[in-house]
Amino acid sequence: MEINFDAASNVNLRSVEGVRGPRPKSKAAESASLQGTAGVQSAFENTPDIRAEEVERGKALFNSPKYPPQAVIRGLSRLLALGVSSPDDQNKP
């Protein structure tokens, strides 16, 4: 790979001599980050795969004749109607 720098762009190039690499992580930093992830991992492991209260809520909504509300149905129908085009519209440029 070749990189061409434009001299007029005022790019300041430093020499790589004396440039240090990333610092090694200290043991304290490693343990602190592991402690933070341990709490998240524990919460994840203790969360049930299926939440019974949400399943019951879904069943109740499914069986309700008032769900979804009429306003939502009307709004969705308007959005769908905006996307419907007649055959004449497809022939226009």
Side-chain angles (χ1 to χ4, degrees):
M1 178 199 298
E2 184 177 325
I3 301 174
N4 295 319
F5 291 99
D6 183 8
S9 66
N10 296 325
V11 175
N12 184 8
L13 301 176
R14 298 185 293 158
S15 170
V16 292
E17 294 176 24
V19 176
R20 297 182 187 163
R23 283 189 213 165
K25 291 183 179 179
S26 69
K27 292 193 187 263
E30 287 179 11
S31 66
S33 66
L34 290 177
Q35 289 172 355
T37 59
V40 172
Q41 183 66 29
S42 174
F44 176 73
E45 289 171 355
N46 293 327
T47 302
D49 290 336
I50 299 173
R51 297 184 298 171
E53 67 275 359
E54 291 301 316
V55 172
E56 290 304 315
R57 179 176 171 265
K59 286 180 181 179
L61 288 173
F62 179 77
N63 291 321
S64 172
K66 294 182 180 182
Y67 186 81
Q70 288 296 315
V72 171
I73 294 172
R74 280 193 296 275
L76 287 173
S77 64
R78 286 186 188 120
L79 287 174
L80 290 170
L82 289 173
V84 175
S85 60
S86 68
D88 293 335
D89 292 341
Q90 293 176 0
N91 294 331
K92 292 180 182 177

